Amino acid sequence: NTGTEADVYISVYGERGDTGSKQLLRSQKSKKFLKGQTDIFAVEAVHLGRLYKIFIGHNGLGSGSGWFLDKVVIKDPITDLDNTFLCHRWLDQGQGDGNIARELPVTDASTFPGKQELELKREETWAAEKWKFQKGMTLKFYNRLTRGFICLYPDSRVDALGDKKNKYCKVFSMWM
Protein backbone atom coordinates (compact mmCIF):
# COMPACT_ATOMS: atom_id res chain seq x y z
CA ASN A 1 0.00 0.00 0.00
CA THR A 2 2.71 2.47 -0.90
CA GLY A 3 1.14 3.58 -4.19
CA THR A 4 -1.80 5.94 -4.72
CA GLU A 5 -4.92 6.26 -6.82
CA ALA A 6 -5.28 9.97 -6.01
CA ASP A 7 -4.60 12.75 -8.52
CA VAL A 8 -0.96 13.85 -8.16
CA TYR A 9 0.15 17.43 -8.83
CA ILE A 10 3.58 19.03 -9.17
CA SER A 11 4.90 22.59 -9.35
CA VAL A 12 8.50 23.09 -10.47
CA TYR A 13 10.45 26.21 -9.46
CA GLY A 14 13.51 27.60 -11.19
CA GLU A 15 15.49 30.82 -11.41
CA ARG A 16 13.23 32.06 -14.26
CA GLY A 17 9.84 31.25 -12.71
CA ASP A 18 7.65 28.23 -12.10
CA THR A 19 5.34 25.86 -13.95
CA GLY A 20 2.28 26.43 -11.79
CA SER A 21 0.42 23.36 -10.59
CA LYS A 22 0.45 20.54 -13.18
CA GLN A 23 -1.42 17.27 -12.79
CA LEU A 24 0.71 14.24 -13.62
CA LEU A 25 -1.65 12.53 -16.06
CA ARG A 26 0.04 10.18 -18.51
CA SER A 27 2.81 7.91 -17.30
CA GLN A 28 4.71 5.65 -19.65
CA LYS A 29 3.28 2.83 -17.47
CA SER A 30 -0.32 1.66 -17.88
CA LYS A 31 -1.06 2.18 -14.14
CA LYS A 32 0.48 5.14 -12.33
CA PHE A 33 2.07 5.34 -8.88
CA LEU A 34 2.27 1.65 -8.00
CA LYS A 35 4.51 0.27 -5.26
CA GLY A 36 8.15 0.06 -6.33
CA GLN A 37 7.40 1.51 -9.76
CA THR A 38 9.21 4.34 -11.54
CA ASP A 39 6.77 6.50 -13.49
CA ILE A 40 7.89 8.84 -16.28
CA PHE A 41 5.87 11.92 -17.24
CA ALA A 42 6.31 14.70 -19.77
CA VAL A 43 5.49 18.13 -18.32
CA GLU A 44 5.32 21.04 -20.74
CA ALA A 45 6.80 24.30 -19.51
CA VAL A 46 9.04 27.16 -20.57
CA HIS A 47 12.70 26.67 -19.67
CA LEU A 48 12.97 27.60 -15.99
CA GLY A 49 16.76 27.82 -15.81
CA ARG A 50 18.42 26.26 -12.77
CA LEU A 51 15.80 24.42 -10.71
CA TYR A 52 15.78 24.88 -6.94
CA LYS A 53 12.60 23.23 -5.60
CA ILE A 54 9.39 21.40 -6.38
CA PHE A 55 6.06 21.19 -4.63
CA ILE A 56 4.40 17.79 -5.04
CA GLY A 57 1.25 16.35 -3.53
CA HIS A 58 -2.09 14.71 -4.19
CA ASN A 59 -5.75 15.49 -3.59
CA GLY A 60 -6.25 12.69 -1.02
CA LEU A 61 -9.21 11.22 -2.91
CA GLY A 62 -9.83 7.57 -3.67
CA SER A 63 -9.26 4.42 -1.68
CA GLY A 64 -5.64 4.06 -0.66
CA SER A 65 -4.73 7.64 -1.46
CA GLY A 66 -1.66 7.57 0.81
CA TRP A 67 1.61 7.37 -1.08
CA PHE A 68 5.27 6.78 -0.19
CA LEU A 69 7.43 8.93 -2.46
CA ASP A 70 11.11 8.08 -2.70
CA LYS A 71 12.33 10.83 -5.02
CA VAL A 72 11.58 12.89 -8.12
CA VAL A 73 14.12 13.27 -10.91
CA ILE A 74 13.56 16.02 -13.49
CA LYS A 75 15.62 15.85 -16.68
CA ASP A 76 16.32 19.25 -18.22
CA PRO A 77 15.84 18.75 -22.00
CA ILE A 78 18.16 21.66 -22.85
CA THR A 79 21.14 20.88 -20.60
CA ASP A 80 20.43 17.12 -20.38
CA LEU A 81 21.09 17.34 -16.61
CA ASP A 82 19.14 15.42 -13.97
CA ASN A 83 17.75 17.40 -11.02
CA THR A 84 16.99 15.15 -8.05
CA PHE A 85 14.50 16.00 -5.31
CA LEU A 86 14.66 13.53 -2.42
CA CYS A 87 11.53 12.84 -0.39
CA HIS A 88 11.66 9.33 1.10
CA ARG A 89 8.49 10.05 3.10
CA TRP A 90 4.77 9.38 3.15
CA LEU A 91 2.25 11.71 1.54
CA ASP A 92 -0.60 10.36 3.61
CA GLN A 93 -2.99 11.80 6.18
CA GLY A 94 -2.73 8.58 8.21
CA GLN A 95 1.06 8.00 8.05
CA GLY A 96 4.11 9.92 9.26
CA ASP A 97 3.36 13.61 9.84
CA GLY A 98 0.01 13.48 7.98
CA ASN A 99 1.01 15.79 5.10
CA ILE A 100 -0.23 14.95 1.59
CA ALA A 101 2.02 17.52 -0.08
CA ARG A 102 5.73 18.29 0.24
CA GLU A 103 8.10 21.07 -0.75
CA LEU A 104 11.38 19.44 -1.80
CA PRO A 105 14.66 21.30 -2.46
CA VAL A 106 16.94 20.15 -5.25
CA THR A 107 19.71 17.82 -4.10
CA ASP A 108 23.10 19.37 -4.73
CA ALA A 109 25.06 16.48 -6.22
CA SER A 110 28.26 18.52 -6.41
CA THR A 111 28.80 18.56 -2.65
CA PHE A 112 28.44 14.84 -1.93
CA PRO A 113 26.33 12.57 -4.15
CA GLY A 114 23.95 10.48 -2.08
CA LYS A 115 24.67 12.26 1.24
CA GLN A 116 21.12 13.62 1.58
CA GLU A 117 19.62 10.29 0.55
CA LEU A 118 21.78 8.48 3.10
CA GLU A 119 20.77 10.95 5.83
CA LEU A 120 17.06 10.49 5.02
CA LYS A 121 17.39 6.70 5.25
CA ARG A 122 19.28 7.03 8.56
CA GLU A 123 16.53 9.25 9.99
CA GLU A 124 13.83 6.85 8.81
CA THR A 125 15.64 3.87 10.35
CA TRP A 126 16.08 5.69 13.66
CA ALA A 127 12.39 6.70 13.70
CA ALA A 128 11.43 3.04 13.30
CA GLU A 129 13.94 1.70 15.85
CA LYS A 130 14.18 4.36 18.58
CA TRP A 131 11.40 2.80 20.69
CA LYS A 132 13.88 0.05 21.59
CA PHE A 133 16.07 2.59 23.36
CA GLN A 134 13.47 4.25 25.58
CA LYS A 135 14.35 4.70 29.22
CA GLY A 136 13.84 1.52 31.23
CA MET A 137 13.74 -0.81 28.21
CA THR A 138 15.52 -4.16 28.56
CA LEU A 139 16.59 -5.80 25.31
CA LYS A 140 17.33 -9.44 24.57
CA PHE A 141 19.10 -10.37 21.34
CA TYR A 142 19.31 -13.90 20.01
CA ASN A 143 22.59 -14.88 18.38
CA ARG A 144 21.82 -17.42 15.64
CA LEU A 145 25.45 -18.40 15.35
CA THR A 146 25.96 -19.40 19.01
CA ARG A 147 22.26 -20.02 19.67
CA GLY A 148 22.57 -17.96 22.82
CA PHE A 149 21.05 -14.74 24.14
CA ILE A 150 22.50 -11.39 25.09
CA CYS A 151 20.44 -9.26 27.46
CA LEU A 152 21.04 -5.48 27.75
CA TYR A 153 19.60 -3.91 30.91
CA PRO A 154 18.66 -0.24 31.48
CA ASP A 155 21.36 0.12 34.15
CA SER A 156 24.03 -0.71 31.49
CA ARG A 157 24.52 -4.31 32.63
CA VAL A 158 25.05 -6.90 29.90
CA ASP A 159 24.16 -10.56 30.42
CA ALA A 160 25.93 -12.54 27.69
CA LEU A 161 24.44 -15.82 28.95
CA GLY A 162 20.90 -14.43 28.58
CA ASP A 163 18.31 -16.40 30.50
CA LYS A 164 15.68 -17.57 27.95
CA LYS A 165 12.96 -17.46 30.60
CA ASN A 166 13.47 -13.78 31.50
CA LYS A 167 10.03 -12.37 30.65
CA TYR A 168 11.22 -8.75 31.00
CA CYS A 169 13.43 -8.92 27.93
CA LYS A 170 12.15 -8.15 24.45
CA VAL A 171 13.55 -10.62 21.92
CA PHE A 172 15.06 -9.38 18.63
CA SER A 173 16.60 -11.64 16.04
CA MET A 174 19.92 -10.45 14.66
CA TRP A 175 23.19 -11.86 13.33
CA MET A 176 26.22 -11.37 15.52
Side-chain angles (χ1 to χ4, degrees), residues 19 24 31 39 41 47 53 57 64 69 72 75 79 82 85 93 103 127 130 136 141 155 162 164 169 176:
T19 61
L24 298 178
K31 290 196 134 231
D39 289 291
F41 298 90
H47 189 257
K53 75 176 179 180
L69 175 61
V72 174
K75 184 173 212 62
T79 64
D82 287 344
F85 303 84
Q93 293 169 332
E103 184 176 294
K130 69 182 176 184
F141 295 93
D155 61 2
K164 293 179 186 178
C169 284
M176 299 183 94

Side-chain angles (χ1 to χ4, degrees), residues 43-60:
V43 176
E44 288 188 32
V46 297
H47 189 257
L48 300 172
R50 190 180 61 79
L51 304 182
Y52 61 89
K53 75 176 179 180
I54 64 170
F55 190 79
I56 188 163
H58 61 80
N59 60 6

Side-chain angles (χ1 to χ4, degrees), residues 50-174:
R50 190 180 61 79
L51 304 182
Y52 61 89
K53 75 176 179 180
I54 64 170
F55 190 79
I56 188 163
H58 61 80
N59 60 6
L61 301 177
S63 63
S65 64
W67 177 37
F68 188 86
L69 175 61
D70 187 39
K71 64 186 170 185
V72 174
V73 178
I74 298 176
K75 184 173 212 62
D76 185 325
I78 293 176
T79 64
D80 205 37
L81 294 175
D82 287 344
N83 296 277
T84 303
F85 303 84
L86 298 176
C87 184
H88 206 67
R89 296 182 73 183
W90 282 97
L91 282 75
D92 188 344
Q93 293 169 332
Q95 293 276 353
D97 60 10
N99 290 330
I100 61 171
R102 303 245 178 240
E103 184 176 294
L104 306 174
V106 69
T107 301
D108 186 2
S110 65
T111 54
F112 183 85
K115 181 179 178 184
Q116 270 187 299
E117 193 164 3
L118 202 63
E119 181 62 21
L120 284 171
K121 288 183 190 276
R122 186 195 66 75
E123 287 175 11
E124 181 185 75
T125 301
W126 176 247
E129 301 291 329
K130 69 182 176 184
W131 67 271
K132 295 177 186 175
F133 302 96
Q134 292 175 354
K135 188 174 181 167
M137 181 68 73
T138 301
L139 303 176
K140 183 186 230 180
F141 295 93
Y142 178 68
N143 184 330
R144 292 181 187 157
L145 207 55
T146 64
R147 298 178 189 258
F149 288 87
I150 298 174
C151 208
L152 307 175
Y153 294 95
D155 61 2
S156 300
R157 287 182 299 127
V158 176
D159 177 5
L161 299 176
D163 180 9
K164 293 179 186 178
K165 295 181 173 104
N166 184 344
K167 64 180 179 181
Y168 298 106
C169 284
K170 304 286 185 202
V171 178
F172 301 98
S173 192
M174 65 181 285

